[in-house]
């Protein structure tokens, strides 16, 4: 397939990748192009910003989770629907697994998807040193695919001199600059950037950013670079599917539970799930007829008072999960425990489905990629079966569980984690289902069986009678 595309990366986090990616997406959208957007790595918030610009979900691509062939398939699946794809890198361009390898880095994703790279360089406090920095990134890996440079936080007066030096000495195309725009800065908090819903007048700010970029970036050259991308081939994986009908799965989704991989949800749907979204924060009742529930991560600590105050929802969830299979990750795991400490140190009653108390540690704990191995028979499979994921949290629990062993790649670090049984799996790790679709399918099978649902017992009684 032919899929015009570019990957925007940078020498380090905090270089302005997300802001510039969103500005470029908005400017290209204003040209009536059909666009798809992707984020390299296990990031939930940046795709929210992409999606706010495009009005459609942005996806994640991660070579640690899915290897080369599956990563190319996940890219092609979306890229085929659009005129151009924009991929945003993660951290520094070469920064990958365990802080000592390029696997799962933006460089690795560019290599696997054969995508031309535009390096975004934050030039604050630099002039000639910009050339030395860019030269290093070009030469560290001969197949870097870095084909263009955008100079961020660059003054209009200095830009022509730095552009000439870069293009003369390094023979690389300089695609423009972005001046510092105070009104377009995106703030951060303990889990990264704040979410798009928390940025006032976001759409107006993005349009203003795109307007500035139309004057300072060479979009014709950017489009030409995207059109030079090599052709790709990919193969659709053979996925299991429920043989009869669908299974109805409730998915918690609101301000408190907003961290999820869109590909996870779409995979469940492709395998036979009907997803019904509900808000533990705002809704009074669960959707009717649910056969299983999923609680993904987010910011329950910021909304602990509201979640606790919704006593009707907490009671319904507590009753529903006596019988129904469920999955819970990170923030969802914290919500299902007995109590949760908020950011001010106050403790609030939560759903009380699981034993344990959630509390703030004030530091990043057990951060990074994980290979998760089941330690005993449970809902998703037997001992030794594996699925990949990651952890990223500033909270902990008095009962993390011992039913899964998490191993960090390329290091000797490992630990017991997650509570599991024949009916549920819950813990801090975020799972990526495409790393083992069979395990995700087993969850749907378990929900479809639902042998312990009171209504199913009633149906069996009537049939026998």
């Amino acid at each position: 397939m032919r899929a015009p595309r570019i990957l925007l990366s940078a020498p380090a986090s905090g270089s302005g990748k997300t802001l510039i990616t969103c500005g470029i997406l908005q400017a290209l959208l204003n040209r009536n192009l059909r666009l798809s957007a992707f984020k390299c790595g296990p990031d939930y918030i940046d795709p929210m910003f992409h999606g706010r610009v495009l009005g459609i979900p942005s996806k994640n691509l991660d070579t640690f989770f899915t290897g080369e062939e599956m990563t190319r398939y996940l890219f092609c699946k979306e890229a085929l629907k659009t005129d151009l794809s924009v991929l945003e890198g993660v951290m520094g361009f070469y920064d990958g697994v365990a802080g000592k390898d390029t696997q799962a880095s933006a460089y690795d994703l560019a290599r696997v998807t054969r995508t031309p790279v535009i390096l975004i360089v934050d030039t604050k406090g630099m002039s000639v040193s910009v050339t030395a920095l860019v030269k290093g990134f070009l030469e560290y890996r001969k197949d870097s695919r870095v084909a263009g440079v955008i100079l961020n936080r660059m003054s209009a007066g200095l830009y022509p001199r730095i552009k000439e030096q870069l293009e003369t000495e390094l023979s690389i195309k300089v695609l423009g600059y972005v001046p510092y725009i105070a009104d377009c800065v995106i703030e951060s908090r303990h889990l990264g950037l704040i979410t798009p819903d928390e940025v006032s007048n976001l759409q107006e700010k993005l349009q203003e950013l795109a307007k500035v970029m139309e004057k300072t970036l060479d979009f014709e050259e950017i489009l030409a670079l995207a059109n030079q991308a090599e052709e790709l081939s990919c193969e659709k994986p053979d996925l299991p599917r429920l043989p009869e009908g669908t299974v109805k799965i409730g998915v918690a989704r609101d301000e408190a539970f907003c961290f999820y991989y869109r590909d996870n949800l779409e995979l469940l749907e492709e395998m036979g799930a009907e997803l019904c979204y509900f808000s533990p924060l705002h809704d009074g009742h669960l959707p009717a007829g649910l056969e299983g529930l999923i609680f993904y991560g987010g910011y329950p600590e910021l909304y602990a008072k509201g979640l606790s105050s919704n006593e009707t929802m907490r009671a319904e969830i507590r009753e529903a999960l006596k019988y129904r299979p469920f999955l819970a990750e990170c923030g969802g795991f914290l919500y299902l425990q007995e109590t949760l400490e908020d950011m001010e140190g106050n403790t609030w009653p939560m759903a009380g489905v699981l034993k344990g108390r959630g509390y703030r540690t004030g530091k990043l704990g057990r951060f990074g990629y994980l290979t998760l191995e089941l330690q005993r028979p449970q809902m998703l499979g037997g001992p030794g079966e594996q699925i990949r994921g990651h952890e990223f949290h500033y909270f902990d629990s008095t009962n993390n569980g011992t039913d899964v062993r998490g191993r960090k790649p390329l290091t000797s670090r490992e630990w017991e984690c997650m509570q599991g049984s024949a009916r549920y799996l819950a813990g801090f790790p975020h799972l990526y289902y495409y790393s083992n679709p069979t395990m995700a399918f087993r969850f749907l099978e378990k929900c479809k069986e639902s042998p312990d649902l009171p209504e199913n017992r009633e149906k069996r009684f009537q049939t026998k009678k």
Side-chain angles (χ1 to χ4, degrees):
M1 60 169 282
R2 182 180 175 277
R5 58 197 182 275
I6 53 171
L7 187 149
L8 300 169
S9 191
S13 295
S15 299
K17 290 192 301 292
T18 301
L19 190 65
I20 290 176
T21 298
C22 289
I24 288 175
L25 285 170
Q26 187 65 64
L28 293 173
L29 195 66
N30 292 346
R31 294 172 178 232
N32 296 316
L33 290 170
R34 295 178 304 151
L35 304 173
S36 53
F38 301 87
K39 174 65 181 183
C40 174
D43 189 298
Y44 296 110
I45 299 177
D46 290 356
M48 293 182 195
F49 281 93
H50 301 170
R52 182 58 64 87
V53 176
L54 300 179
I56 59 173
S58 174
K59 303 293 186 68
N60 295 77
L61 295 171
D62 193 302
T63 56
F64 173 76
F65 288 155
T66 53
E68 297 192 9
E69 290 299 325
M70 185 70 83
T71 299
R72 277 193 288 270
Y73 163 72
L74 292 172
F75 168 74
C76 293
K77 185 162 70 91
E78 298 303 314
L80 276 171
K81 306 172 187 176
T82 60
D83 300 318
L84 186 145
S85 299
V86 177
L87 293 69
E88 182 186 343
V90 62
M91 299 177 66
F93 181 53
Y94 292 109
D95 298 332
V97 168
K100 63 179 185 179
D101 195 87
T102 59
Q103 183 190 6
S105 66
Y107 156 77
D108 198 36
L109 182 60
R111 180 187 63 80
V112 168
T113 60
R114 301 169 196 155
T115 300
V117 175
I118 298 173
L119 193 67
I120 297 167
V121 180
D122 184 356
T123 65
K124 183 180 180 182
M126 289 193 290
S127 57
V128 177
S129 295
V130 173
T131 303
L133 187 151
V134 173
K135 182 178 182 181
F137 276 84
L138 289 172
E139 295 182 355
Y140 182 69
R141 290 286 188 272
K142 298 304 180 184
D143 62 344
S144 71
R145 295 182 181 269
V146 175
V149 177
I150 290 175
L151 304 175
N152 190 27
R153 296 206 289 181
M154 169 67 70
S155 70
L158 182 59
Y159 173 68
R161 284 172 278 169
I162 301 303
K163 172 181 167 67
E164 180 181 11
Q165 186 177 67
L166 282 166
E167 293 186 338
T168 300
E169 295 191 20
L170 304 181
S171 299
I172 189 169
K173 190 68 180 179
V174 180
L175 302 169
Y177 72 101
V178 179
Y180 176 72
I181 309 171
D183 292 341
C184 293
V185 172
I186 303 174
E187 298 176 5
S188 298
R189 64 156 61 95
H190 59 290
L191 291 182
L193 297 174
I194 60 174
T195 64
D197 289 337
E198 300 171 273
V199 180
S200 60
N201 304 316
L202 177 60
Q203 205 59 50
E204 290 86 348
K205 290 180 178 180
L206 292 173
Q207 286 290 2
E208 179 61 29
L209 180 61
K211 185 178 178 181
V212 171
M213 287 183 171
E214 284 286 3
K215 298 176 182 177
T216 63
L217 297 185
D218 190 339
F219 278 94
E220 296 309 314
E221 286 290 344
I222 291 173
L223 289 170
L225 187 62
N227 280 294
Q228 292 170 15
E230 301 173 39
E231 291 188 359
L232 277 181
S233 62
C234 58
E235 185 175 342
K236 184 177 180 180
D238 185 18
L239 298 172
R241 183 176 172 82
L242 291 172
E244 297 178 10
T246 59
V247 59
K248 195 171 184 179
I249 306 296
V251 179
R253 188 168 73 173
D254 55 24
E255 305 96 295
F257 305 100
C258 54
F259 290 176
Y260 55 88
Y261 294 117
R262 187 69 210 177
D263 276 318
N264 277 356
L265 300 177
E266 291 184 2
L267 177 61
L268 293 178
E269 289 176 324
E270 190 172 345
M271 294 192 298
E274 175 191 349
L275 303 183
C276 303
Y277 298 100
F278 69 95
S279 170
L281 188 60
H282 302 297
D283 293 345
H285 302 282
L286 287 170
L290 297 181
E291 296 165 272
L293 288 92
I294 301 177
F295 298 83
Y296 290 121
Y299 291 114
E301 65 272 17
L302 300 182
Y303 302 95
K305 180 179 180 180
L307 290 168
S308 185
S309 298
N310 194 344
E311 295 182 11
T312 303
M313 177 59 78
R314 287 196 291 125
E316 286 197 13
I317 288 173
R318 194 159 50 246
E319 181 64 24
L321 297 189
K322 287 180 180 178
Y323 310 103
R324 292 163 177 81
F326 65 93
L327 293 169
E329 300 178 356
C330 204
F333 170 56
L334 290 172
Y335 172 68
L336 293 184
Q337 294 190 48
E338 296 162 301
T339 62
L340 175 62
E341 182 182 345
D342 66 15
M343 297 299 289
E344 286 73 44
N346 304 306
T347 298
W348 301 93
M350 289 290 115
V353 175
L354 303 171
K355 296 293 184 182
R357 295 177 289 104
Y359 61 94
R360 187 184 180 194
T361 64
K363 62 182 180 180
L364 191 58
R366 299 190 296 278
F367 164 71
Y369 288 117
L370 288 173
T371 296
L372 297 153
E373 183 175 304
L374 305 185
Q375 298 298 290
R376 50 190 60 88
Q378 51 189 274
M379 179 175 65
L380 299 190
E385 292 200 60
Q386 296 182 351
I387 191 167
R388 292 189 168 188
H390 80 284
E391 286 194 31
F392 189 92
H393 51 91
Y394 284 78
F395 279 67
D396 211 331
S397 168
T398 58
N399 186 12
N400 287 304
T402 60
D403 296 303
V404 175
R405 181 164 291 277
R407 294 185 175 89
K408 291 186 69 66
L410 304 182
T411 75
S412 60
R413 285 195 64 198
E414 59 179 70
W415 56 86
E416 292 180 329
C417 59
M418 307 194 77
Q419 302 181 31
S421 75
R423 192 172 47 82
Y424 75 91
L425 185 66
F428 277 109
H430 300 271
L431 309 182
Y432 195 80
Y433 301 163
Y434 267 105
S435 67
N436 191 334
T438 300
M439 292 179 75
F441 182 67
R442 288 191 187 120
F443 169 65
L444 300 185
E445 288 185 306
K446 187 67 177 179
C447 294
K448 192 65 178 176
E449 293 171 7
S450 301
D452 296 322
L453 289 179
E455 53 265 43
N456 283 359
R457 289 203 301 270
E458 180 66 21
K459 288 177 184 177
R460 288 201 298 275
F461 174 77
Q462 290 173 352
T463 300
K464 291 178 181 179
K465 186 177 179 181

